[in-house]
């Protein structure tokens, strides 16, 4: 990977959440999408680019949420389905292609993944996430600067 | 869980800074100042370390020479008098050099998993030079003046839990000393207080090596650490319903435990009465220029008078004395007074209530799962039971829908705007108005077949997913939701700040506006060296 940026896992999940909202997903859907992305990252599954591609397709995430809400509808076709399955029922063993969840740990091609609370992104991914997240921030105006934060009195005392 | 009562809460035995001090004392943590290299301009670095039974924690302090005109408490500030990070272990020289390139820049810098908290503080313009000159000239500062301000520096942010690259909470959550909420943040602030005292004495000595004196021990104790908190803290209470439930439930359980005691001993009553004697001096040093707080403090002054009078002839030998006292308070005292009493009655009963502190944390890492098979009829009924208050609000009334919570592009901090004056804010509204959002979802639920499943409802109305998840989470947890309108024209964000800060253990709440509050932490508390030489970690509260 080219020199990138390292985030804590919860910081990463918060950024995914904001990026998902910023790309137009409803809040509740964004929460599940972010939890899915964070789960993948914590087990070293490098699928952020795919996750980002899916942001432009809200129906993908609405379907994903259905698999969370009604696990019997989850037909386990891709790694996102596997994540949904493990998130809902972590004790249940699941196998899909090279991925195998034994009810506790993830193996990729037989290699055990060490869970991590860090997220490593390349600069391009970080930029794309932030670009989406930026859509959730209101442009600052002098009015909001003063009134919105509630300052205005001298705070230098 | 109404805002006006939340806005009157006080610190208690369960507050996080008190839990922290209790543990540090009980486990006899060893304290060391490993480094203190600061020049006459106040520039340099220092290291403060606690050795707990299993590991070390070090506060790394960077001290700066900040021009007066750059000093601002607001989150948009870009430089501070001092900046800090709490390091997990003992830092090496390489760590210090790495962190010196990041910590002074705060949000602009990056931390690693070795760092646990990030903070900064500014000097009090009212006191700093006065105390420095006093000490340099061989005099002690006037204690009344010290008590009126209460601190030499105030922090303007204390970040933890993975912010800016620091360690994710999951890294430390299984450590006993870090499991209760905000324990490492409390350690950070406690060390900052010690650093500030060392700094002012050090600078006084450099200014006048022959005549300078150290602070008298009693006066030194009167300094806490100030904190200036803006709106950023308010959404936390809404965004962490499961955690907040645990905080309030623990305190309610503690209060109920004491109220349900059939008898009290003389020693317990004496302890309580001794604390009541501290209330008036404490209140006297509680300065505020904010009209609402002035009024509340005036009511509290009357409340304390009424409580003192009540206690003169109150018969503690009756059955359930604490319950009788609390029932009396609900009829006679203001919310400030009632909440003060609720905290006070816990004091003699550490052996019965302190363990509730162990139940205040919460694993929030797993998203609450929605059971898609629940029928919408059941969902409606949950809303009616738990959110009846929200369904009674007329959301078409502009006053009820007056504000919008949003995040500013500039500093990525939460702000609150007037929706009708700035309609563009609607586009950026955060999910911080559960009352209105549940009413919207409820309206759609009323329009569909009651046998529809929640999964199908959310496929049709994905925009309600967040609030339906919230409803299912909160309806099982009675203290998880503020039962008030968070976007009403009359809502006071300081009520939310006050509730959270009381759980931290703050006192001397001094609102600077309806959405900005200054507080004091650790005022009166023993310093680390006193703690390790056996000072009582509890008997300093309600200090003047």
């Amino acid at each position: 990977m080219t020199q990138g940026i390292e985030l804590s896992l919860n910081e990463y999940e918060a950024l995914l959440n904001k990026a998902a909202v910023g790309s137009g997903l409803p809040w509740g859907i964004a929460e599940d999408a972010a939890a899915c992305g964070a789960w993948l990252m914590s087990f070293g599954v490098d699928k952020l680019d795919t996750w980002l591609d899916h942001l432009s397709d809200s129906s993908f995430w609405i379907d994903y949420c259905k698999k969370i809400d009604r696990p019997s509808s989850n037909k386990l076709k891709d790694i996102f389905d596997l994540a949904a399955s493990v998130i809902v029922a972590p004790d249940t063993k699941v196998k899909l292609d090279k991925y195998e969840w034994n009810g506790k740990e993830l193996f990729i091609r037989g290699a055990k993944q060490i869970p991590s609370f860090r997220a490593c992104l390349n600069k391009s991914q970080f930029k794309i996430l932030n670009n989406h997240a930026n859509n959730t921030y209101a442009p600052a105006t002098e009015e909001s600067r003063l009134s919105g934060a509630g300052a205005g009195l001298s705070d230098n005392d | 869980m109404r805002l006006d009562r939340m806005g009157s809460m006080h610190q208690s035995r369960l507050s996080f800074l008190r839990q922290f001090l209790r543990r540090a004392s009980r486990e006899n943590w060893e304290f060391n100042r490993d480094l203190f290299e600061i020049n006459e301009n106040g520039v340099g670095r220092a290291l403060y370390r606690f050795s707990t039974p299993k590991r070390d924690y070090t506060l790394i302090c960077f001290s700066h020479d900040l021009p007066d005109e750059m000093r601002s408490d607001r989150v948009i500030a870009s430089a501070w008098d001092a900046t800090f990070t709490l390091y997990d272990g003992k830092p090496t020289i390489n760590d210090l050099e790495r962190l010196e390139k990041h910590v002074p820049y705060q949000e602009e810098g990056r931390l690693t998993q070795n760092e646990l908290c990030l903070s900064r503080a500014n000097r009090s313009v009212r006191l700093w030079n006065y105390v420095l000159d006093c000490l340099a000239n061989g005099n002690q500062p006037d204690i009344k003046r010290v008590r009126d301000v209460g601190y030499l520096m105030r922090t303007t942010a204390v970040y933890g839990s993975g912010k800016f690259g620091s360690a994710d909470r999951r890294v430390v959550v299984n450590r006993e000393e870090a499991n209760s909420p905000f324990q490492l943040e409390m350690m950070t602030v406690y060390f900052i207080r010690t650093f500030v005292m060392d700094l002012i004495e050090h600078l006084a000595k450099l200014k006048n090596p022959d005549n300078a004196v150290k602070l008298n021990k009693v006066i030194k104790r009167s300094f806490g650490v100030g904190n200036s908190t803006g709106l950023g803290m308010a959404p936390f209470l809404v965004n962490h319903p499961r955690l907040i439930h645990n905080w309030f439930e623990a305190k309610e359980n503690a209060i109920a435990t004491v109220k349900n005691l059939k008898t009290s001993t003389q020693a317990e009553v004496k302890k309580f009465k001794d604390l009541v004697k501290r209330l008036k001096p404490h209140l006297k040093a509680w300065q505020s220029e904010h009209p609402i707080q002035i009024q509340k403090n005036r009511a509290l002054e009357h409340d304390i008078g009424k409580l003192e009078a009540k206690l003169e002839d109150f018969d503690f030998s009756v059955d359930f004395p604490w319950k009788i006292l609390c029932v009396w308070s609900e009829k006679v005292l203001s919310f400030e007074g009632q909440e003060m009493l609720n905290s006070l009655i816990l004091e003699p009963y550490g052996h019965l209530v302190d363990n509730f502190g162990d139940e205040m944390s919460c694993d929030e890492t797993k998203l609450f799962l929605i059971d898609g098979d629940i029928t919408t009829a059941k969902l409606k009924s949950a809303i009616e039971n738990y959110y009846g208050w929200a369904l009674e609000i007329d959301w078409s009334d502009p006053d009820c829908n007056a504000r919008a919570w949003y995040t500013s592009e500039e500093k990525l901090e939460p702000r609150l705007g007037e929706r009708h004056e700035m309609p563009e804010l609607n586009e950026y509204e955060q999910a911080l108005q559960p009352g209105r959002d549940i009413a919207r979802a409820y309206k759609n639920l009323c329009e569909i077949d009651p046998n529809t499943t929640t999964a199908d409802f959310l496929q049709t109305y994905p925009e309600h997913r967040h609030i339906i998840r919230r409803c299912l989470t909160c309806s099982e947890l009675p203290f998880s939701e503020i039962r008030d309108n968070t976007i009403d024209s009359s809502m006071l964000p300081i009520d939310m700040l006050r509730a959270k800060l009381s759980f931290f253990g703050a006192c001397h709440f001094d609102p600077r506006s309806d959405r900005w509050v200054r507080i004091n932490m650790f005022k009166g508390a023993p310093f680390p060296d006193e703690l390790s030489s056996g000072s009582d970690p509890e008997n300093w509260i309600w200090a003047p």
Side-chain angles (χ1 to χ4, degrees):
Chain A
M1 191 192 287
T2 53
Q3 202 197 356
I5 183 152
E6 189 183 310
L7 308 178
S8 71
L9 191 62
N10 61 320
E11 192 179 23
Y12 176 67
E13 186 168 343
L15 180 59
L16 294 184
N17 202 335
K18 271 193 256 183
V21 171
S23 74
L25 291 182
W27 280 94
I29 307 277
E31 287 159 356
D32 287 279
C36 171
W39 185 87
L40 292 170
M41 178 64 83
S42 70
F43 283 98
V45 182
D46 183 12
K47 286 287 170 188
L48 176 55
D49 288 334
T50 318
W51 188 94
L52 285 168
D53 288 344
H54 287 318
L55 278 192
S56 56
D57 177 14
S58 64
S59 68
F60 174 86
W61 290 112
I62 291 173
D63 283 349
Y64 172 87
C65 288
K66 190 171 183 180
K67 293 166 195 164
I68 293 276
D69 299 349
R70 192 176 278 149
S72 58
S73 69
N74 188 349
K75 302 298 177 217
L76 278 186
K77 286 182 185 155
D78 64 20
I79 184 67
F80 293 88
D81 295 342
L82 185 133
S85 169
V86 175
I87 285 169
V88 175
D91 297 337
T92 307
K93 293 177 183 175
V94 206
K95 198 166 186 285
L96 176 78
D97 306 330
K98 61 184 179 183
Y99 303 105
E100 188 174 357
W101 176 260
N102 71 359
K104 208 172 156 191
E105 294 147 323
L106 184 71
F107 294 80
I108 303 181
R109 287 199 184 89
K112 188 170 133 183
Q113 301 298 293
I114 309 289
S116 155
F117 301 130
R118 305 301 283 178
C120 295
L121 291 70
N122 65 42
K123 282 186 175 169
S124 150
Q125 292 168 328
F126 189 60
K127 194 175 166 195
I128 296 169
L129 281 169
N130 276 308
N131 284 345
H132 285 303
N134 282 342
N135 295 330
T136 67
Y137 309 139
T141 61
E142 196 49 37
E143 187 188 6
S144 73
R145 223 171 256 144
L146 287 173
S147 70
L153 290 162
S154 163
D155 50 32
N156 185 9
D157 58 3
Chain B
M1 289 278 286
R2 302 297 303 270
L3 280 172
D4 49 4
R5 185 172 286 279
M6 292 169 72
S8 297
M9 292 181 73
H10 294 269
Q11 64 85 23
S12 77
R13 293 193 73 92
L14 299 181
S15 294
F16 308 137
L17 72 79
R18 300 211 31 207
Q19 291 195 45
F20 160 73
L21 281 180
R22 264 203 299 278
R23 179 178 294 277
S25 168
R26 187 175 67 236
E27 295 181 353
N28 202 16
W29 292 0
E30 190 190 315
F31 168 72
N32 279 290
R33 191 176 89 172
D34 292 334
L35 178 78
F36 195 90
E37 286 177 350
I38 291 174
N39 70 17
E40 66 281 7
N41 297 320
V43 178
R45 55 198 188 183
L47 299 176
Y48 290 82
R49 176 167 53 88
F50 263 134
S51 300
T52 75
K54 288 190 181 155
R55 52 185 71 79
D56 293 301
Y57 295 95
T58 307
L59 185 77
I60 304 174
C61 314
F62 296 104
S63 186
H64 312 289
D65 182 16
L66 183 71
D68 281 348
E69 65 275 14
M70 285 186 75
R71 190 172 295 115
S72 168
D73 283 8
R74 297 189 51 198
V75 77
I76 54 172
S78 59
W80 300 269
D81 283 313
T83 52
F84 311 93
T85 185
L86 186 70
Y87 185 89
D88 195 2
K90 289 184 196 174
T92 63
I93 289 292
N94 286 345
D95 287 319
L96 292 187
E97 278 167 15
R98 168 176 63 83
L99 290 165
E100 194 145 31
K101 293 182 191 128
H102 293 274
V103 175
Y105 304 98
Q106 296 284 295
E107 293 95 336
E108 301 297 318
R110 292 301 297 173
L111 301 175
T112 72
Q113 192 156 282
N114 292 324
E115 288 82 53
L116 304 167
C117 293
L118 179 71
S119 182
R120 69 287 189 109
N122 281 335
R123 295 174 183 178
S124 160
V125 169
R126 288 178 290 173
L127 269 194
W128 185 269
N129 284 334
Y130 165 68
V131 174
L132 182 64
D133 289 342
C134 284
L135 295 180
N137 295 326
N139 303 318
Q140 292 295 325
D142 173 40
I143 192 159
K144 186 179 177 305
R145 206 165 155 184
V146 168
R147 283 176 175 167
D148 281 355
V149 177
Y151 54 81
L152 279 170
M153 275 200 199
R154 62 185 173 276
T155 55
T156 67
V158 183
Y159 297 112
S161 299
K163 287 274 181 72
F164 311 110
S166 63
D168 191 286
R169 173 139 172 90
R170 283 163 279 199
V171 173
V172 297
V173 73
N174 291 324
R175 302 178 184 179
E176 280 184 12
E177 68 275 15
N179 178 262
S180 262
F182 294 101
Q183 292 300 287
L184 299 173
E185 287 83 352
M186 296 300 117
M187 187 189 289
T188 299
V189 174
Y190 185 60
F191 272 144
I192 291 174
R193 175 174 179 247
T194 308
F195 163 73
V196 172
M197 294 295 113
D198 287 356
L199 181 65
I200 195 119
E201 288 179 345
H202 175 74
L203 293 179
K205 183 83 181 161
L206 291 179
K207 197 170 178 186
N208 192 348
D210 297 331
N211 291 337
V213 290
K214 293 199 161 193
L215 277 165
N216 155 304
K217 275 199 164 182
V218 174
I219 297 177
K220 192 171 167 183
R221 281 263 194 131
S222 300
F223 288 104
V225 177
N227 173 273
S228 198
T229 294
L231 260 192
M233 199 176 254
F236 183 94
L237 289 187
V238 181
N239 283 334
H240 298 270
R242 289 180 284 181
L243 179 67
I244 296 308
H245 167 81
N246 287 356
W247 295 6
F248 282 85
E249 189 183 50
K251 190 165 182 198
E252 289 298 320
N253 281 338
I255 294 168
T257 299
V258 175
K259 279 167 122 173
N260 286 330
L261 292 173
K262 197 173 176 190
T263 58
S264 57
T265 67
Q266 280 186 351
E268 288 157 0
V269 172
K270 183 177 181 309
K271 191 165 187 182
F272 172 75
K273 285 185 170 174
D274 285 348
L275 285 171
V276 170
K277 284 184 201 148
R278 295 185 191 177
L279 299 179
K280 275 186 176 164
H282 174 84
L283 184 60
K284 210 171 168 198
W286 182 349
Q287 302 285 323
S288 179
E289 290 167 17
H290 195 264
I292 293 175
Q293 196 59 49
I294 290 172
Q295 205 182 343
K296 288 173 86 171
N297 283 4
R298 210 170 281 150
L300 187 56
E301 195 182 349
H302 290 302
D303 289 346
I304 295 169
K306 287 179 198 165
L307 179 61
E308 286 174 342
K310 178 79 178 169
L311 292 178
E312 271 175 27
D313 55 5
F314 185 73
D315 179 7
F316 274 95
S317 66
V318 292
D319 284 354
F320 304 106
W322 303 110
K323 185 179 279 176
I324 291 175
L325 210 50
C326 288
V327 169
W328 165 81
S329 81
E330 283 162 26
K331 289 183 196 141
V332 179
L333 307 185
S334 69
F335 279 164
E336 283 275 358
Q338 292 174 33
E339 288 304 315
M340 186 176 253
L341 185 64
N342 281 336
S343 287
L344 273 172
I345 63 167
L346 306 185
E347 291 301 333
Y349 297 103
H351 57 294
L352 298 179
V353 304
D354 288 351
N355 57 338
F356 288 116
D358 299 337
E359 294 164 18
M360 294 170 90
S361 66
C362 173
D363 178 8
E364 294 182 291
T365 51
K366 257 197 103 180
L367 203 54
F368 186 91
L369 296 170
I370 296 171
D371 177 354
D373 292 333
I374 295 175
T375 64
T376 49
K378 275 196 175 170
L379 206 50
K380 265 182 71 184
S381 144
I383 294 174
E384 286 155 6
N385 285 333
Y386 197 72
Y387 287 95
W389 57 272
L391 302 180
E392 285 166 14
I393 294 172
D394 176 7
W395 296 100
S396 65
D397 178 345
D399 277 343
C400 297
N401 194 18
R403 268 90 170 265
W405 292 92
Y406 65 100
T407 303
S408 73
E409 188 179 39
E410 201 167 40
K411 268 281 180 169
L412 314 186
E413 279 289 312
R415 288 186 176 166
L416 188 61
E418 300 300 321
R419 186 191 310 278
H420 305 301
E421 287 164 30
M422 297 189 274
E424 69 276 13
L425 292 182
N426 286 318
E427 196 185 327
Y428 301 102
E429 185 167 34
Q430 304 281 305
L432 293 167
Q433 49 294 317
R436 188 204 64 192
D437 293 350
I438 203 77
R440 284 182 176 173
Y442 184 80
K443 186 168 176 287
N444 289 130
L445 282 166
C446 289
E447 293 160 358
I448 58 161
D449 177 352
N451 293 318
T452 311
T453 62
T454 297
D456 287 339
F457 173 73
L458 291 176
Q459 291 287 296
T460 313
Y461 295 101
E463 66 271 29
H464 295 319
R465 185 172 184 81
H466 170 83
I467 195 65
I468 294 301
R469 187 199 320 274
R470 186 176 182 93
C471 169
L472 293 170
T473 313
C474 293
S475 58
E476 302 290 319
L477 306 170
F479 304 107
S480 55
E481 192 75 274
I482 299 167
R483 296 179 189 221
D484 260 319
N485 179 4
T486 53
I487 50 172
D488 192 88
S489 60
S490 65
M491 188 270 301
L492 296 170
I494 45 174
D495 287 338
M496 295 156 100
L497 305 183
R498 167 85 178 255
K500 188 181 178 201
L501 291 163
S502 79
F503 277 104
F504 282 13
C507 60
H508 295 101
F509 303 93
D510 176 16
R512 307 293 291 160
S513 75
D514 68 338
R515 55 194 73 180
W516 188 257
V517 66
R518 246 181 358 206
I519 51 143
N520 199 305
M521 293 174 82
F522 292 105
K523 189 183 187 186
F527 284 89
D529 55 334
E530 296 175 304
L531 207 58
S532 52
S533 26
S535 278
D536 188 340
E538 308 284 5
N539 192 24
W540 54 274
I541 50 162
W542 303 105

